[in-house]
Amino acid sequence: MNWFGFGFNAFGQIRANEKLTDGESAADANVTNPICIDILCRNLEEEPVQICQHSSHVDTRIRTSWSRRAALHSNRMPSRDWNSASMCSPCRPLNQRPQFNDDGRLCLAGFGVGIPSQRGCGGCVEESRGCQDAHISEGYLALSFTDRVECWNSERNEKKPGWSMEIPDNTGPSLAFPLVPGGYIASNPPFYRPLSPQLLAVSLALGTEHAVLLTASGDIYTWGSGSHGQLGHGDLSPQEEPRAMEALLGMPMSTVAAGGWHSVCTSAGGDLYVWGWNESGQLGLPSRALRGEQQKSQGTGGASTCKDQEEGSNEVFISIQAFPALVDVTQSCEVSKISCGSRHTAAVTSTGDLYTWGWGEYGQLGQGTVSSSDEPRRVEFFKDQGLRVVDVVCGPWNTFVSAIKKDPSLHPDTNILYPL
């Protein structure tokens, strides 16, 4: 599996920046087309080890903030006495499949690389050894272990975490970080925030000022600031406590994502619902502000205005969508994965295509330009390269995508990609 990145790269989150020449700015380092990124991990204090993104035994996940990118490597090696030829057979019962030695390791790229400590490869965080997941923000790095959570201050070279807590045994549904038994871990202090056990939360997405929670039954709850309709309750009022989204009750949802001031979810059937701020077209709905900017860039000047354009057509422009709206990304397949940046959105379809829309000033839409779009558009790069997209993770101003080579490179049983 390869990871690709595009968009904001002023701090080298996607690729290391060479020294800028006179007259160049950090914006000149941005990436407008997807490029394969280096997510190799080497621990030089021991015998040189390379965790390779092509290895079938290494699972790599990406976590992002505005100025940093974290690659979480999990080295999953089966026991020595296991027959590797049949270890991942889909016909084998779960309790008879191999147990893996999970040695997690986090590697950072971008601003402040090496915090809380810098050893091995340039951004390898030694204190992350054995972690299961991570959440990264501008101020803090949260590491989730099987028995505890640690929060490190990204602005200090500390030898121990600034905050930590033990994780009790989880007797409820399986939780996705930043959820922990009894609550969740926030981006800023106080880190631990309690949640009612009656919610039966399984997934949580944190926006700039709001949160979107998915329950085991497929219901969605939101809370926080509602200034841009990002809570989906039909108004702009804030909510201090989780409130069920009545408009989606009775339709089980499977995934949730939160942007800066917008929210997205997918149903069990692969339908996409959006709500919140649409100033840059991040909802995939017609945006008056975006169309006005495009008109100016096309040199129409004072010949006509966005209002004139609206009055001359039947199109309805959306600035704030306070109720969830259904968006057809593509009529031929379902949406399987979603992610939100500050003001852009990305979706992976069941056919392995990537669609992006919204704010594109830093190339975060992967279309080879810095233009924004209020319509979902397929990123043709992956199709042209014969790649099937399997995951997408949006940073505030950039996008990271994992993809595998399409047939015949895939092993028929293990779905492993052989090195390109």
Side-chain angles (χ1 to χ4, degrees):
M1 178 182 297
N2 286 5
W3 278 94
F4 298 81
F6 43 95
F8 185 64
N9 188 53
F11 300 100
Q13 309 98 304
I14 300 173
R15 65 181 176 191
N17 290 331
E18 299 179 357
K19 186 176 180 181
L20 298 176
T21 60
D22 292 340
E24 289 185 323
S25 65
D28 296 310
N30 296 325
V31 180
T32 59
N33 283 304
I35 62 171
C36 191
I37 62 177
D38 181 10
I39 56 172
L40 301 184
C41 173
R42 299 173 180 87
N43 182 10
L44 302 182
E45 290 190 336
E46 304 169 357
E47 181 181 352
V49 174
Q50 176 173 295
I51 297 180
C52 177
Q53 58 184 319
H54 298 303
S55 171
S56 62
H57 298 311
V58 176
D59 173 37
T60 299
R61 289 166 287 165
I62 297 293
R63 302 291 182 260
T64 66
S65 69
W66 177 69
S67 65
R68 301 180 183 90
R69 180 253 301 170
L72 179 62
H73 306 285
S74 298
N75 196 5
R76 305 177 186 272
M77 295 297 294
S79 58
R80 294 182 180 180
D81 59 350
W82 194 265
N83 181 2
S84 61
S86 61
M87 68 179 183
C88 292
S89 172
C91 298
R92 186 176 297 278
L94 286 174
N95 60 0
Q96 296 182 19
R97 295 185 188 179
Q99 298 298 314
F100 294 93
N101 299 321
D102 197 345
D103 182 19
R105 180 72 65 84
L106 194 76
C107 294
L108 297 176
F111 182 76
V113 165
I115 296 173
S117 69
Q118 180 174 336
R119 306 175 189 173
C121 71
C124 186
V125 180
E126 182 65 21
E127 290 80 358
S128 69
R129 185 188 292 269
C131 71
Q132 306 294 304
D133 207 339
H135 180 73
I136 185 171
S137 65
E138 287 307 296
Y140 298 92
L141 172 63
L143 302 176
S144 172
F145 300 85
T146 56
D147 60 348
R148 69 192 187 280
V149 174
E150 297 178 354
C151 290
W152 296 79
N153 191 312
S154 299
E155 299 177 353
R156 303 172 186 171
N157 192 4
E158 299 176 323
K159 296 184 178 180
K160 62 180 182 179
W163 178 89
S164 65
M165 67 170 283
E166 294 184 359
I167 297 179
D169 293 336
N170 179 29
T171 59
S174 177
L175 303 177
F177 198 66
L179 287 174
V180 295
Y184 68 98
I185 304 301
S187 302
N188 297 291
F191 293 109
Y192 177 74
R193 312 285 177 89
L195 288 172
S196 170
Q198 297 179 351
L199 289 174
L200 294 178
V202 294
S203 180
L204 176 68
L206 300 176
T208 300
E209 300 173 326
H210 75 293
V212 184
L213 180 146
L214 178 68
T215 71
S217 61
D219 293 329
I220 292 181
Y221 288 74
T222 61
W223 67 95
S225 171
S227 60
H228 294 77
Q230 63 265 49
L231 300 185
H233 299 305
D235 57 25
L236 309 184
S237 302
Q239 296 290 330
E240 295 184 1
E241 299 294 334
R243 176 183 171 185
M245 288 189 59
E246 297 179 0
L248 296 177
L249 289 178
M251 293 185 292
M253 298 295 151
S254 59
T255 59
V256 294
W261 300 270
H262 73 290
S263 307
V264 180
C265 71
T266 60
S267 70
D271 292 325
L272 180 73
Y273 292 88
V274 301
W275 61 95
W277 200 25
N278 193 48
E279 184 248 2
S280 299
Q282 57 264 50
L283 298 186
L285 302 174
S287 167
R288 173 186 283 112
L290 179 58
R291 300 292 177 88
E293 292 177 2
Q294 292 174 342
Q295 196 174 43
K296 290 180 181 179
S297 66
Q298 293 171 359
T300 56
S304 64
T305 66
C306 189
K307 182 177 180 180
D308 294 333
Q309 181 182 3
E310 179 183 5
E311 291 177 349
S313 68
N314 295 324
E315 192 166 26
V316 177
F317 293 101
I318 305 296
S319 176
I320 290 177
Q321 177 69 33
F323 279 112
L326 178 64
V327 171
D328 286 327
V329 175
T330 172
Q331 296 181 354
S332 60
C333 53
E334 302 171 353
V335 173
S336 59
K337 297 285 182 69
I338 52 173
S339 187
C340 297
S342 176
R343 285 184 285 164
H344 75 288
T345 307
V348 180
T349 68
S350 57
T351 56
D353 291 319
L354 176 70
Y355 286 79
T356 60
W357 61 96
W359 191 42
E361 185 171 333
Y362 294 95
Q364 59 264 50
L365 301 187
Q367 303 289 353
T369 71
V370 292
S371 299
S372 301
S373 174
D374 58 8
E375 297 179 0
R377 295 180 179 176
R378 185 170 63 186
V379 180
E380 298 295 340
F381 169 87
F382 298 101
K383 181 182 179 183
D384 294 343
Q385 296 296 317
L387 295 170
R388 178 185 179 90
V389 176
V390 296
D391 199 6
V392 62
V393 177
C394 291
W397 297 356
N398 47 32
T399 307
F400 297 90
V401 176
S402 66
I404 59 178
K405 200 74 174 177
K406 294 182 178 180
D407 290 340
S409 298
L410 291 176
H411 188 283
D413 292 330
T414 61
N415 206 38
I416 292 172
L417 171 67
Y418 294 115
L420 296 172

